[in-house]
Amino acid sequence: MSKAKKSTIEVMGADVAVLSQSQQDTICLTDIAKFKNPDHPDDVIRNWLRNRNTVEFLGIWERLNNPNFNPVEFDGIRMQTGLNSFVLTPKQWIEKTGAMGLTSSAGRYGGTYAHKDIAFEFASWVSVEFKLYLIKEFQRLKEDESRRLSLAWNLNRTLSKLNYRIHTDAIAAHLIPAAVTPAQAAITYASEADLLNVALFSQTAKQWRDANPKLDGNMREYASVEQLLVLANIEGMNAEFIHMGLTQGDRLTRLNEIAIRQMQVLTSASAIKQLKG
């Protein structure tokens, strides 16, 4: 599972944490609750969970999004709502029903978090005005993230295209005999392109197309920012290896080792986080 990324948005003077992990966003209910009761935010959440409308909403959300939701336990909880003795905490809700819309934990990202759908519902219960500002600031956060990611992706895509020209020039100068036809040259280019594909993606363009018949474009169109950065690097390196007279087999081995090393660095170092955010 990918590592969680924490962001903070300011809503009506309150700091609200947002966790992004595996392309899913959750918002801290504890931070939202502090707007209503700074000293005892957990009490605010528990009072919200005692509400019958809340339980109904959570049950419907889980049925729509969670195939492992326990409807039997949910019906038992729903029957108790409204009773003076009824008490429900986030952990009890999660443990009894197998709910995934709420999470509750201690530690670095401690507190109660919820899927944005649920968080907006909770914020509405706390304060309609707070909910509207929360939605506005959350949307601004996601737009900023999307814009930064798009800039980084386009930058590396441009670098890749520029290096491709250097790469093909080296191929023409050192691998293609002077008398070959354009069709023969194209075959050589395709071979060298697949050399990079195998070094970085572990498959040729045809293997990717055969495995993804419903996707348009090519594998490089679906590459991550990190992969595009490494691709730009190994394209330039391959051109130098061609000038050095290395065989295709030797170049593939070296480029694969370089791609593995660089991907390991990029996916674990803070440098790529700075590039994205």
Side-chain angles (χ1 to χ4, degrees):
M1 182 179 291
S2 61
K3 193 173 182 180
K5 175 185 176 183
K6 183 178 180 180
S7 304
T8 302
I9 55 179
E10 183 177 339
V11 184
M12 297 182 67
D15 289 336
V16 179
V18 178
L19 290 186
S20 300
Q21 186 173 24
S22 301
Q23 298 183 334
Q24 293 290 334
D25 297 308
T26 58
I27 300 174
C28 185
L29 298 191
T30 304
D31 289 342
I32 297 174
K34 289 178 182 178
F35 178 79
K36 188 177 184 69
N37 190 333
D39 298 324
H40 302 286
D42 290 343
D43 290 345
V44 177
I45 297 174
R46 283 194 290 267
N47 287 336
W48 176 66
L49 287 173
R50 294 183 71 241
N51 187 286
R52 186 176 186 85
N53 289 335
T54 298
V55 173
E56 291 283 0
F57 175 85
L58 292 176
I60 293 172
W61 190 94
E62 294 290 343
R63 288 179 189 273
L64 290 173
N65 298 279
N66 182 6
N68 298 317
F69 184 59
N70 190 327
V72 176
E73 288 290 344
F74 167 68
D75 288 338
I77 292 174
R78 181 171 55 180
M79 290 180 64
Q80 297 179 57
T81 57
L83 299 177
N84 292 333
S85 60
F86 177 65
V87 176
L88 183 64
T89 67
K91 286 188 176 181
Q92 288 173 334
W93 168 254
I94 296 166
E95 291 172 357
K96 289 182 179 180
T97 67
M100 59 181 284
L102 290 179
T103 60
S104 185
S105 63
R108 183 181 178 185
Y109 299 132
T112 299
Y113 284 77
H115 184 278
K116 64 180 187 300
D117 297 343
I118 298 172
F120 294 152
E121 182 72 11
F122 175 64
S124 182
W125 182 80
V126 169
S127 165
V128 174
E129 183 182 15
F130 189 90
K131 172 190 176 181
L132 293 175
Y133 280 104
L134 174 65
I135 293 174
K136 180 179 179 180
E137 293 304 321
F138 178 79
Q139 290 175 335
R140 180 181 299 173
L141 171 68
K142 303 314 295 181
E143 288 170 359
D144 287 345
E145 289 179 353
S146 178
R147 182 161 51 249
R148 287 195 297 268
L149 183 59
S150 178
L151 287 172
W153 192 92
N154 287 329
L155 171 62
N156 285 289
R157 185 66 173 164
T158 300
L159 288 174
S160 177
K161 290 180 177 179
L162 291 174
N163 276 307
Y164 183 75
R165 177 59 185 272
I166 299 173
H167 185 224
T168 53
D169 285 349
I171 294 170
H174 293 270
L175 296 185
I176 303 174
V180 297
T181 66
Q184 290 172 319
I187 293 174
T188 305
Y189 287 134
S191 174
E192 286 300 311
D194 267 339
L195 177 76
L196 300 178
N197 290 336
V198 173
L200 179 58
F201 302 107
S202 301
Q203 59 185 328
T204 65
K206 183 179 184 304
Q207 289 171 334
W208 184 87
R209 286 194 299 271
D210 290 343
N212 301 276
K214 296 183 179 179
L215 295 181
D216 295 326
N218 57 62
M219 74 173 81
R220 299 187 184 192
E221 297 294 336
Y222 296 89
S224 66
V225 171
E226 295 91 338
Q227 287 174 320
L228 288 173
L229 181 58
V230 173
L231 179 61
N233 290 338
I234 65 174
E235 278 182 338
M237 291 177 181
N238 192 39
E240 292 303 313
F241 291 160
I242 291 172
H243 283 293
M244 292 166 61
L246 298 181
T247 67
Q248 192 175 68
D250 288 340
R251 286 185 283 111
L252 176 59
T253 300
R254 293 195 184 191
L255 292 172
N256 180 243
E257 291 173 350
I258 293 169
I260 291 173
R261 184 165 60 251
Q262 291 193 0
M263 285 299 297
Q264 287 174 338
V265 171
L266 288 177
T267 55
S268 62
S270 60
I272 195 64
K273 295 180 182 178
Q274 294 174 357
L275 175 64
K276 290 181 175 181

